[in-house]
Amino acid sequence: MPRPVPTTNPAGAAAENFDAINIKDMDLLLKGGTLIDGTGRRRGDVLVRDGRIAAVGPDIVEASGVRTLDCGGKMVSAGFVDVHVHFREPGQRYKETIRTGSLAAAHGGYTTVCAMPNLDPVPDSPDTLALEQEIIDRDACIEVLPYAAITRGRKGLEPVDFAALKDRCVAFSDDGSGVQRDGMMLQAMTEAARQEVILAAHCEDNALLHGGYIHDGRYAAAHGHKGICSESEWGQIRRDLALAEQTGCRYHVCHISCSESVGLIRQAKARGVRVTCETGPHYLTLCEDDLQEDGRFKMNPPLRRAEDREALIEGLLDGTIDAVATDHAPHSAEEKSRGLAGSAMGVVGLETAFPVLYTALVIPGRLPLERLIEALTDGPRRAFRLPGGLRPGEAADLTVIDPDAAWTVDPADFLSLGKATPFAGQAVRSRIVLTLKDGEPVWQA
Ligand code: DOR
Ligand code: ZN
Ligand code: ZN
């Protein structure tokens, strides 16, 4: 598969010690970095051979034919995994393509992403999934794993043929909308349990929306906006947790945004329900008090109360939340230009996730770096049964981070076609300086 490598660095940074490398058909030694995973950090080297991690150790000796990269002062992690992105192809190439989305992911340190199925055509049959896979095989510079829909056309009326699709997709989701009918969800979970596949649910009860588009809280009341109540999310999670318990289905909750959702999932995990969940960088760092009259603050679910943000951080700390996923949801500038009421739902996130979380949570001591790395690597891998990790024998999917870099988020630097982010103009620390996919650089600063 061709892996397009960006030759320019739109962020304009020139990190010392990271001159252009061409490692094709050569071993590569990442020397003297701080190796980080969920279990801790240690000084060490990583030897990459034939696209795989050949060795990880404190002092790997440089041999001839080995290209050495000085990682002194840098952190080396397994490549990040985002189980929730929207790449818009096939169907809406003006918003994002598999190529631009995967380049943006590489820029953000990601080597594997799972692509949501609100596409045109919806990947709900072997043929439509094959069409998406063809584009992925042709254009993706990292691993892009497609979701299949839960229901035909994502209409919520008839389940897809899980058995016919399960070998072609990473999991099943109707993301973009919740499965409204209880009977439909029961049927889908029963079949998902039988097929041993993962159902990833966007939880949203349409009956409770009443035309809302930001959180139904202080800001909406003060500025005359229509609100979305938290129950529209946690009510459906509560229903699904009961169904998952009843059916034994592997159930993943997408983008949880409120304190009640954290509590319900914490309790369900404690009683053995097979549930995992994710939240996004924006829910962990922002709340309704940060809202501005601008479409770049609009996403679904919405930014909620400060107490919700705190409960999400708590849930990430205690393991209730398995993964940070961006819900990278690019739209055109015009679609995001109509303020809070009129703009499309969704913000981009792949190119800011790590620096934003590192700056807002790790530097102030609210979240250990190891826990953040785990939520970006082994957490999502475990939840979605994906291979990989910072261990000999695994694919050389690696992310090198400069923790000291300081820069300001400017959407003009994004490789994504989507530019709408609530973090525009924010000063951040840390930068992804190198992303290796199967040992090959797919991003380098
Ligand atoms: O903000 C969102 N954007 N939430 C969704 O559920 C869908 C997504 C999109 O596809 O744009
Ligand atoms: Zn969603
Ligand atoms: Zn989504």
Side-chain angles (χ1 to χ4, degrees):
M1 171 190 327
R3 297 200 186 285
V5 177
T7 51
T8 56
N9 169 17
E16 333 78 285
N17 302 331
F18 281 86
D19 50 343
I21 53 173
N22 181 1
I23 57 159
K24 232 177 161 63
D25 303 323
M26 281 176 81
D27 288 356
L28 172 70
L29 183 59
L30 303 183
K31 188 107 190 105
T34 300
L35 312 183
I36 302 191
D37 65 13
T39 65
R41 68 184 88 177
R42 59 219 179 271
R43 270 296 278 282
D45 309 334
V46 182
L47 181 66
V48 174
R49 175 172 300 149
D50 298 329
R52 306 200 80 82
I53 299 174
V56 178
D59 224 336
I60 299 174
V61 179
E62 297 171 49
S64 63
V66 176
R67 174 71 205 256
T68 299
L69 195 62
D70 178 6
C71 290
K74 308 291 189 289
M75 309 188 298
V76 181
S77 160
F80 300 161
V81 177
D82 190 339
V83 298
H84 192 143
V85 304
H86 296 267
F87 281 177
R88 311 301 191 196
E89 198 179 8
Q92 295 184 308
R93 300 185 74 248
Y94 70 97
K95 294 180 195 253
E96 191 80 295
T97 65
I98 300 280
R99 183 178 163 89
T100 58
S102 66
L103 286 169
H107 189 197
Y110 292 86
T111 53
T112 298
V113 300
C114 304
M116 283 298 179
N118 51 344
L119 301 168
D120 186 10
V122 174
D124 61 1
S125 69
D127 283 354
T128 47
L129 255 181
L131 172 68
E132 183 184 353
Q133 189 64 53
E134 238 171 72
I135 306 170
I136 291 169
D137 291 345
R138 190 187 66 209
D139 291 347
C141 70
I142 60 155
E143 181 139 46
V144 177
L145 302 170
Y147 277 93
I150 297 173
T151 64
R152 290 189 198 273
R154 294 179 46 257
K155 292 185 185 343
L157 302 175
E158 280 175 89
V160 298
D161 182 346
F162 288 91
L165 300 178
K166 69 175 181 180
D167 293 336
R168 300 164 186 261
C169 64
V170 65
F172 293 79
S173 181
D174 270 3
D175 185 50
S177 28
V179 175
Q180 300 303 310
R181 299 184 181 183
D182 304 354
M184 180 67 252
M185 199 52 158
L186 172 60
Q187 201 184 335
M189 283 201 187
T190 303
E191 185 58 13
R194 189 176 299 142
Q195 300 296 336
E196 271 296 318
V197 299
I198 299 165
L199 277 200
H202 166 122
C203 289
E204 182 173 26
D205 182 345
N206 292 351
L208 299 179
L209 294 182
H210 308 299
Y213 46 85
I214 61 170
H215 177 62
D216 188 17
R218 271 211 308 252
Y219 187 94
H223 295 81
H225 289 295
K226 290 191 179 145
I228 304 174
C229 64
S230 298
E231 189 179 353
S232 63
E233 172 180 311
W234 63 255
Q236 207 164 77
I237 294 176
R238 187 175 56 182
R239 174 199 72 180
D240 286 358
L241 288 169
L243 295 175
E245 190 162 22
Q246 180 187 333
T247 58
C249 163
R250 281 189 71 123
Y251 173 61
H252 176 81
V253 192
C254 296
H255 46 53
I256 65 168
S257 69
C258 62
S259 140
E260 294 89 340
S261 300
V262 179
L264 285 164
I265 294 166
R266 182 180 288 124
Q267 288 166 15
K269 283 189 166 188
R271 59 176 199 272
V273 180
R274 297 168 89 195
V275 57
T276 57
C277 71
E278 65 184 50
T279 190
H282 38 286
Y283 305 118
L284 288 163
T285 58
L286 302 173
C287 68
E288 62 178 347
D289 306 334
D290 299 301
L291 283 169
Q292 296 177 28
E293 293 297 316
D294 189 321
R296 67 193 174 86
F297 291 88
K298 183 177 180 183
M299 75 291 290
N300 190 21
L303 297 176
R304 301 207 189 266
R305 303 164 307 162
E307 303 93 285
D308 294 304
R309 182 193 58 206
E310 296 307 300
L312 291 165
I313 295 170
E314 213 31 65
L316 186 57
L317 280 168
D318 75 8
T320 301
I321 296 174
D322 301 89
V324 169
T326 62
D327 198 2
H328 178 83
H331 296 285
S332 72
E334 193 280 320
E335 289 164 330
K336 293 300 288 179
S337 70
R338 305 178 208 133
L340 288 173
S343 291
M345 295 275 201
V347 295
V348 295
L350 285 167
E351 292 167 273
T352 51
F354 184 85
V356 158
L357 290 163
Y358 184 77
T359 306
L361 299 180
V362 176
I363 291 178
R366 304 218 50 203
L367 183 70
L369 176 61
E370 285 81 356
R371 181 70 196 115
L372 173 58
I373 292 285
E374 184 171 50
L376 290 167
T377 57
D378 290 340
R381 279 201 180 88
R382 266 196 304 272
F384 280 70
R385 304 182 288 206
L386 303 174
L390 191 55
R391 282 180 298 277
E394 300 291 354
D397 292 355
L398 296 163
T399 298
V400 182
I401 304 156
D402 177 355
D404 300 317
W407 52 289
T408 299
V409 175
D410 179 354
D413 297 334
F414 292 167
L415 299 179
S416 172
L417 299 182
K419 308 296 179 189
T421 168
F423 301 113
Q426 191 164 306
V428 291
R429 290 278 299 278
S430 81
R431 181 197 296 280
I432 310 301
V433 290
L434 177 68
T435 308
L436 297 179
K437 174 69 196 161
D438 294 326
E440 292 187 34
V442 286
W443 163 256
Q444 54 187 109

